[in-house]
Amino acid sequence: TTTTTTPTATPTTTPCLALDPTLRRIWCGSPRAEYQRETQHKNLPSRCLPLARRARDIVVLPAGHLCMQEWYAFCGEVLQLEKSQIVVVAGPAGVVDEDMTEAIVQDLLARVRAAPADQFELVPYSVTPTFLRWARPLLDAGVRLCGDPPEWVARFGSKALLHRHVAKPDTPSLIETLLPRMPVPRGFVCTTTAELLRAYELLDCGRVVVKPVLGAAGIGIVFLSSLKELEEYTFAHGDVALEEHLDLDVASDGVCLSPATHYLGSALVAGPVVDQIIAGTGYRGWRESHCPHYFQHLVTHYTNQLVAAMLPSGPGGFDFLSVQGKPVLCDINTGRFNGAHFPKLFRDQHAPTASFYCWKSRPPALLPVAVFWARLCAVGLAFIPHSGATEGVFPLTYLRGISGTFIALAPSAAAAEALARRAAPCLGLAGGGLGLMMMCVCV
């Protein structure tokens, strides 16, 4: 394991507007059909609310239960949204794409037609056939779409494009065809247990990682070290990539270096490089990158190459690892919004010159968001949108008892992390609670 030093400044990049400020957005996030976790069904539609601009945007949300209703009301009040800007879709599925009604579609169409001088844009989590089924009248009426069509996602939206299929070892992977010099871990795509065992034999590396090719947020990723463990793997999430386990570099504070980049169409979302705060097989947040400047420039260069080769029209991102001081592309998160889009876009919308630190934590089940916010305000830690503030803490999602994401904004990365720690008691986390919450483990 290699330790790197924390950079004193970020590399210079060309600023770009990933979200066109002239467009009026209709946010309508729904989880993909393969997403089954409760947190995915509740988080994905809820996290766009802090990006809604008063008197400009519309947010379409599932009815949800009490914690979601509290979150909607909080955002409406603090962001000074008009009641008509939040459209709630009720139905048995609890998913906007599945419960959408003709009456709501017609209401959205009427709003678009009532403002002929404005250009609207539909912003789903991901463009799926279910989404297109209800969105088609809006698209036919001239509403733009922020997203990639299903045929693009079918080609570029899977982690399988990084590796050859073990059943066809002589057929180059898509990434080899597009960018043959792109560094990726050694690995194979597998569909069956027999293929998994064959791939393990070919890799001959002891410890390996199994990744579902359609996974997100680390779901389904496991580390295995024996034939017996591979024989017992059940393919619960479909096809997988079997990759060599890599010895990762770490920052000076011991956190594994896992930089990530994000884009919207051809534009990189400002940053552009952030480090994922890794915990096990998932992540607990993002912070400004601790990778050396040359490394960040190289990751940005690789990202620009990937975007130029794939030509996306919607959101996505790429995860890298630092291995012996060199970047390795380890994950493809294309055809959909990534978690880091939202803190990046919130910062750019409300405090574009600030540094940020973003972390995830489950709020106590008995602590409503209004009480948490009152605590932040009482100790002078709240970031209040539209107030001219440049620092403070704001909840990006807050579903009590389920999940939460928080952002700290400050003049420097160190000050932002310090703010995050000071906010811990407001969540009922005393002493080292935030340290436990942010604990990072390299596996």
Side-chain angles (χ1 to χ4, degrees):
T1 301
T2 303
T3 301
T4 69
T5 57
T6 302
T8 57
T10 54
T12 301
T13 58
T14 302
C16 57
L17 292 172
L19 282 176
D20 187 340
T22 67
L23 299 179
R24 296 182 63 180
R25 290 183 280 278
I26 303 174
W27 294 92
C28 46
S30 287
R32 289 178 174 175
E34 62 266 24
Y35 295 176
Q36 298 301 318
R37 286 192 176 181
E38 178 189 30
T39 50
Q40 291 173 311
H41 278 244
K42 292 180 169 58
N43 281 345
L44 295 185
S46 300
R47 62 189 183 182
C48 61
L49 259 172
L51 298 179
R53 299 163 297 171
R54 53 184 175 181
R56 292 283 294 166
D57 302 324
I58 300 169
V59 186
V60 185
L61 298 161
H65 55 56
L66 180 61
C67 72
M68 298 177 75
Q69 295 168 20
E70 290 175 350
W71 174 240
Y72 302 166
F74 167 80
C75 288
E77 179 180 352
V78 175
L79 298 172
Q80 303 172 26
L81 303 179
E82 300 169 0
K83 288 186 177 180
S84 61
Q85 289 185 253
I86 298 178
V87 176
V88 176
V89 179
V95 175
V96 166
D97 284 353
E98 296 182 31
D99 293 331
M100 178 61 74
T101 66
E102 179 64 22
I104 293 177
V105 172
Q106 291 302 316
D107 174 66
L108 294 173
L109 270 172
R111 299 193 200 195
V112 169
R113 290 168 177 158
D118 295 337
Q119 177 64 63
F120 285 81
E121 179 181 54
L122 276 170
V123 190
Y125 167 70
S126 180
V127 178
T128 64
T130 309
F131 161 76
L132 289 173
R133 187 174 60 205
W134 70 262
R136 181 58 59 192
L138 288 158
L139 299 175
D140 290 344
V143 175
R144 294 187 186 180
L145 175 62
C146 177
D148 298 291
E151 55 270 22
W152 187 97
V153 175
R155 186 179 187 207
F156 295 114
S158 165
K159 304 176 197 306
L161 65 84
L162 290 180
H163 304 294
R164 301 182 181 196
H165 199 289
V166 72
K168 300 178 180 179
D170 296 326
T171 302
S173 68
L174 183 56
I175 202 72
E176 289 179 271
T177 303
L178 295 172
L179 299 166
R181 298 174 65 87
M182 182 66 63
V184 300
R186 294 189 304 124
F188 295 96
V189 177
C190 306
T191 304
T192 66
T193 300
E195 291 175 352
L196 205 60
L197 298 175
R198 175 58 178 159
Y200 186 64
E201 178 185 352
L202 291 172
L203 290 176
D204 189 26
C205 61
R207 198 173 192 213
V208 291
V209 55
V210 180
K211 299 178 180 178
V213 299
L214 295 178
I219 293 172
I221 295 178
V222 293
F223 293 90
L224 304 175
S225 304
S226 69
L227 285 171
K228 184 176 186 301
E229 290 175 314
L230 290 162
E231 288 171 347
E232 295 173 350
Y233 187 78
T234 61
F235 291 88
H237 302 280
D239 286 8
V240 301
L242 185 75
E243 296 178 349
E244 62 178 331
H245 177 263
L246 298 172
D247 187 21
L248 306 185
D249 302 332
V250 299
S252 56
D253 59 2
V255 176
C256 291
L257 287 173
S258 179
T261 55
H262 308 89
Y263 64 82
L264 273 169
S266 61
L268 298 193
V269 179
V273 183
V274 293
D275 286 347
Q276 299 181 96
I277 304 174
I278 298 295
T281 59
Y283 60 88
R284 299 301 300 162
W286 305 269
R287 65 181 184 180
E288 294 187 7
S289 184
H290 286 226
C291 294
H293 297 168
Y294 77 86
F295 189 104
Q296 295 185 51
H297 282 296
L298 189 52
V299 165
T300 302
H301 171 68
Y302 284 150
T303 300
N304 284 326
Q305 285 187 314
L306 288 161
V307 169
M310 296 179 178
L311 297 175
S313 54
F318 305 101
D319 295 345
F320 294 82
L321 298 171
S322 179
V323 181
Q324 297 182 2
K326 298 179 180 179
V328 176
L329 175 65
C330 68
D331 208 352
I332 299 288
N333 302 303
T334 49
R336 58 180 173 83
F337 276 94
N338 299 181
H341 276 98
F342 297 91
K344 283 185 169 184
L345 293 171
F346 182 87
R347 187 272 309 272
D348 293 348
Q349 185 169 313
H350 293 285
T353 62
S355 295
F356 80 88
Y357 189 100
C358 182
W359 75 100
K360 298 166 68 177
S361 178
R362 180 185 299 170
L366 298 179
L367 182 64
V369 63
V371 175
F372 167 70
W373 182 248
R375 290 177 179 179
L376 284 179
C377 292
V379 294
L381 294 179
F383 178 86
I384 302 176
H386 312 305
S387 68
T390 57
E391 60 183 291
V393 173
F394 192 85
L396 295 178
T397 58
Y398 192 106
L399 305 177
R400 58 186 173 110
I402 299 174
S403 65
T405 308
F406 307 85
I407 188 170
L409 297 157
S412 69
E417 184 169 351
L419 267 182
R421 294 186 180 279
R422 288 173 59 197
C426 296
L427 275 171
L429 299 170
L434 192 63
L436 291 173
M437 193 164 54
M438 295 180 176
M439 181 176 64
C440 304
V441 182
C442 289
V443 292

